[in-house]
Each structure stands twice: as structure tokens, then as C-alpha cells.
Amino acid sequence: MQLLVLAALFSCSKETDDLTPGGTTTPGSSTTTTGSAVSIDSTTTTTSKAEGNTGTAANAEDIVTNSTFSSTVTIAFGSTVSISNPLAGKGVTVTETNGDVVINATVAEVAYVVSGTTTNGSLKIYSEKKFKLTLNGVAITNADGPAINIQSGKRAFVVLADNTTNSLTDGSKYTASGTEDMKGAFFSEGQLIFSGTGTLSVKGNYKHAIASDDYIRIISGTITVTNAVTDGIHTNDAFIADGGTINFTATDDGIQCEEGYIVINSGTFTINVAGKGITASYDTDNTIDPYLTINGGTFVINSSKGEGIESKSTLTINNGNFTIKTADDGINAGKAIYINGGSIYSYATSNDGIDSNGPLTVTGGKIVSVGAGSPEEGFDCDRNTFKITGGIMVGIGGATSIPTASVSTQPSVVLGGGTANQLFHIQSGSGTEVLTFLIPRTYTTMLFSSPKLKTSQTYKIFTGGSVATGTNLNGLYTAGTYTVGTQSSSFTASSMVTQIGGSSGPGR
């Protein structure tokens, strides 16, 4: 009894009187017959008022069609380099030496179109004005530096021409060019804004694949990083995505914003890395707010050593579909996590499924969070406020943070262990399905919250059985028919937060 009391005290809630563990459990108590069929409800979530960030980082100046480009310079790589420059002597100089093309521009409204193939060449641009760079079926390999090197702090509108395939590869060693910064196969001092419907493949042999000392925005197009020695995309100030298809393989991080924020509004992301999948952080300036907001998109993130999605500040998920499998935390934030919608599967082999170092708030969405064994948790928020007002949540691991009853409006229950690959089923006293879940790994603690869970009602727990014509979201069944297995126990949801079994604690 003393151990249970101590476990409750080290919960996620700041106020110990918010914790209301209790309820009753009666093994084997039920009139449900083994083998009975139960219809699985569509697990429709209730959603309360969203919390956290909802901004989209919209900027009309990032839309290429809002700018005018009145002159076009063309460069075609090949056995020789063909250059057409109507602005020669009028503000644009283009030189070529041994396959390396250098552009110097002092005038505005210039568009550059690059095509052809070189196995030992490059493109470098100096510009005092924003410009458009269209990749029109170009393949550039540079043995001693970036394939494209933009030494300009102005916007570069990078257009992947329709129905084209483009590729960029840098060398494993760079030849210095004075004090110029160079750290990626596609590097820019200024903003890189990608659009178009073509494809771009980048291989970073020296450091990053795509890097900007300002920000990167992806509006459309297909971008594939086949390999990067460090990050797939690395920015200083921000990363923003409004669409596109992004496929990354990197030795370190997939997308890293070193000193700023990340906003993802849409897009399809497949990220396979050793480090962090998507991360907003700061290295030296703690006045920066490295928040991360996801408003939509599809994400498949695999990390062999690091975290899946991380913000050193506030992480907000408003929508999207997530499949995250990592060694470290699947989802992590330094200050707070807000989940307002989306379908989330977060599986950590060695740490927490979802981990906030500050408050954790869930107002909507369907969430399956899988942590490792004790002391790791499905949901962990380090003794801070854990607020649940909507959504469907299944968290398993060695322990869990306890929801804060005084601010939560949707009931939750903490239960004991389960076995991998076993069906776990909860139904109401009247036989209505509440949860049908295929357990992905053996655990000792489950946290479950759903609009189907009501206080002052009794529920039956079954294990085993089978599901016919079922639809499931990473083990969480949303349709089908469950054939009842063996009833293991029953419990009464006596309060907003009911603890029947399992372990509670702060975790790290």
C-alpha cells in the first residue's frame, strides 16, 4: 500500500489532490459469454478547443508568382558549357572555368534556367537582388565543393521544372574559397524557396545535403536526399513546408533548424536517419524560440539512435498522420506539447513514446504511444500538468504520467500489463465496445482515455479473441467485429482519473 501511495505522489500533476487513483476491479466478474461477437465502433474522437500554436508562417513574398522576372539567362552543362546571357554588360556577368560557372548579378528581375550534365562542374551565384533559378533537367557533380553555391543573402526561388529529374552531388572534401561559408551540396546564404512539380535528388558527401544560413521553404516538388553525412536539410532561421514529397536518408538529422522554428502545413515526409527526424533547436542564443508546429502532412520517421520529432521549445500538432519509430523519444519537447488532432503512432524502443519536459495537453486526435520498459513511459510530462480534454489515447510502457484531474474533462484510466501480439478489449457493462487494441509490445502500464469512457460506470476487460473485417490504426481498431476472448477483470471508472494498476512516475 505504501508503494502505491508513493507512486501516485510522483505523478505528472503539480497538485497531489488532483490525483484520484482508485476504482475497483473484480476478476472474472461478467455475464458476457466467451465467443460472443461485439461490434467495434468507429473510434470518433471528441475535440475541444485547440491549444498551442496555430500559425502557418504564411508569407506572400515567398510565392514565386508574386514576383516578376523579366530577363532569362540560360546555362546548359555538357562537354562544353553553353551560356545565353542577354544581360551581358547590363548587370549580369557569367564566367566559366573548367566546368565551374560563376554568376555575378547586380540587377533585379533575373531568371536563370540550368540544364544538362556535368561530372566535374558547379554553379555559383552572387546576386544583390532576389532571383529565380529553374532546374530544368540538370545533373551536377562537383568533386571539390557544393554542386550549387549561392553566395547571396537574397531570396532564391528554386523551381523544379515540370516533368524533369535533377540531381546534385558534392565532393567529400571542399576547396576553400576565401572566407565563404560552404556546408552542403546545395548551399545558400539566403532563403531557398522550392516549388514546381519536378524532382530533385541530392547527395551530401561533405556535410549537409541542402543547407541555408537563412530559411528553407518547400511549397511543392519531390526532393530526395539519397545520403547526407550530417543533415538532410539544415537551416539557421526556419524551415517551412506547405507541400511536396520529401524523402531523406541521413547519417545525422533529417531536418534541423539550428537557431529557429519549424512550421509544416502539408507534405509527405519519409525520413530514415540515425539522429533526429525533425528538430527545432538553438545552440548559442537562448533568446530564440525554437517552436515546432505541424498543421498537417504525412510522416514516416525512423531513427536508429535519436528522437523522431523534437522542439527545444513548444511542440504543437494540429493535424497529420504520423508513424514514428525511434530509439530515443518518439516525440519530445523542452517546454510543452499540445496535440489537437491527427493520427499518431509513436514507438520508442529505448525511451518514452511522447515526452514533454513541461505540460502535456491533448484536446483531440487518435494517439498510440509506445514507450520502453520501466522507467520509460508511453506519456511522460515530468510532474507537470497533464491535461486531457479530447481525443483517443492509448499509451503503454513501464510507467505513465498521471493526468491532472482538476483540468481534464475527459476520463482516463491507468491499467496493468499486457503481452505483445495479444488482443486487448474493453467493453461497457452493457456490452458496448470501448477499446479494441492489438498490443505491439509487452508492457506493465497502460494509460487509456476516450470519449467512450464514462465516470461511475463499470467496464469489463478481455484478452485474446479475434477481429473479423477489422480496420486498425497501428493496433487501435476503428471498425470490425470482435469475438470475445477471456475476461481477465472488470473495473469501475470512479473518477476523472482512475488508477487500477500499473506504475506512475515522472520518468525522464
Side-chain angles (χ1 to χ4, degrees), residues 269-271 298-303 308-309 320-326 343-347 368 473-474:
F269 297 79
T270 303
I271 299 175
T298 300
F299 303 82
V300 177
I301 300 174
N302 297 289
S303 172
I309 299 175
N321 296 295
F322 302 82
T323 303
I324 302 169
K325 297 180 180 179
T326 60
S343 296
I344 301 171
Y345 181 67
S346 183
Y347 186 115
V368 176
L473 173 69
N474 296 299

Side-chain angles (χ1 to χ4, degrees), residues 343-501:
S343 296
I344 301 171
Y345 181 67
S346 183
Y347 186 115
T349 59
S350 302
N351 216 322
D352 301 316
I354 296 177
D355 179 12
S356 174
N357 293 321
L360 172 59
T361 299
V362 179
T363 72
K366 298 182 179 74
I367 308 163
V368 176
S369 181
V370 182
S374 181
E376 314 306 343
E377 306 177 7
F379 294 99
D380 179 11
C381 61
D382 293 347
R383 299 179 185 153
N384 296 291
T385 300
F386 187 0
K387 180 179 179 181
I388 303 175
T389 61
I392 295 174
M393 304 167 58
V394 180
I396 62 174
T400 185
S401 290
I402 300 294
T404 307
S406 62
V407 295
S408 296
T409 59
Q410 178 172 287
S412 57
V413 60
V414 180
L415 301 165
T419 304
N421 303 314
Q422 186 178 58
L423 280 169
F424 179 88
H425 175 82
I426 299 175
Q427 63 180 247
S428 68
S430 62
T432 302
E433 189 260 359
V434 175
L435 171 68
T436 305
F437 180 57
L438 181 61
I439 299 170
R441 74 187 297 177
T442 298
Y443 64 89
T444 56
T445 303
M446 171 187 283
L447 171 65
F448 171 59
S449 180
S450 168
K452 297 180 185 179
L453 197 61
K454 309 295 182 183
T455 58
S456 302
Q457 291 193 17
T458 299
Y459 297 90
K460 310 162 194 173
I461 297 176
F462 294 84
T463 56
S466 62
V467 175
T469 62
T471 301
N472 80 80
L473 173 69
N474 296 299
L476 176 63
Y477 279 90
T478 59
T481 301
Y482 172 70
T483 299
V484 171
T486 302
Q487 184 183 351
S488 58
S489 63
S490 66
F491 69 91
T492 299
S494 58
S495 53
M496 186 59 65
V497 181
T498 304
Q499 185 165 2
I500 301 301

Side-chain angles (χ1 to χ4, degrees), residues 168-170 185 201-206 208-209 224-228:
L168 305 173
T169 304
D170 64 356
S201 175
V202 185
K203 185 175 184 180
N205 291 313
Y206 173 72
H208 311 305
T224 299
V225 172
T226 58
N227 184 60

Side-chain angles (χ1 to χ4, degrees), residues 273-334:
V273 293
K276 299 172 182 179
I278 301 172
T279 178
S281 62
Y282 60 86
D283 286 340
T284 58
D285 187 351
N286 60 9
T287 65
I288 291 170
D289 183 15
Y291 67 88
L292 198 162
T293 301
I294 299 177
N295 296 311
T298 300
F299 303 82
V300 177
I301 300 174
N302 297 289
S303 172
S304 60
K305 297 179 181 178
E307 293 158 324
I309 299 175
E310 180 199 47
S311 165
K312 291 296 185 182
S313 177
T314 298
L315 170 62
T316 305
I317 296 175
N318 294 312
N319 210 339
N321 296 295
F322 302 82
T323 303
I324 302 169
K325 297 180 180 179
T326 60
D328 207 338
D329 299 330
I331 296 173
N332 176 270

Side-chain angles (χ1 to χ4, degrees), residues 100 119-122 140-147 169-175:
D100 295 321
T119 57
N120 190 23
S122 65
I140 300 175
T141 298
N142 185 14
D144 59 2
T169 304
D170 64 356
S172 58
K173 296 181 180 180
Y174 283 10
T175 300

Side-chain angles (χ1 to χ4, degrees), residues 210-263:
I210 303 172
S212 167
D213 277 348
D214 203 300
Y215 69 79
I216 292 175
R217 185 172 206 133
I218 299 175
I219 295 173
S220 61
T222 299
I223 299 176
T224 299
V225 172
T226 58
N227 184 60
V229 171
T230 50
D231 303 337
I233 283 183
H234 184 96
T235 74
N236 271 20
D237 295 346
F239 173 81
I240 307 157
D242 305 294
T245 300
I246 296 93
N247 306 297
F248 286 165
T249 299
T251 303
D252 197 356
D253 301 332
I255 299 170
Q256 184 190 53
C257 184
E258 183 176 348
E259 297 280 350
Y261 66 89
I262 293 175
V263 174

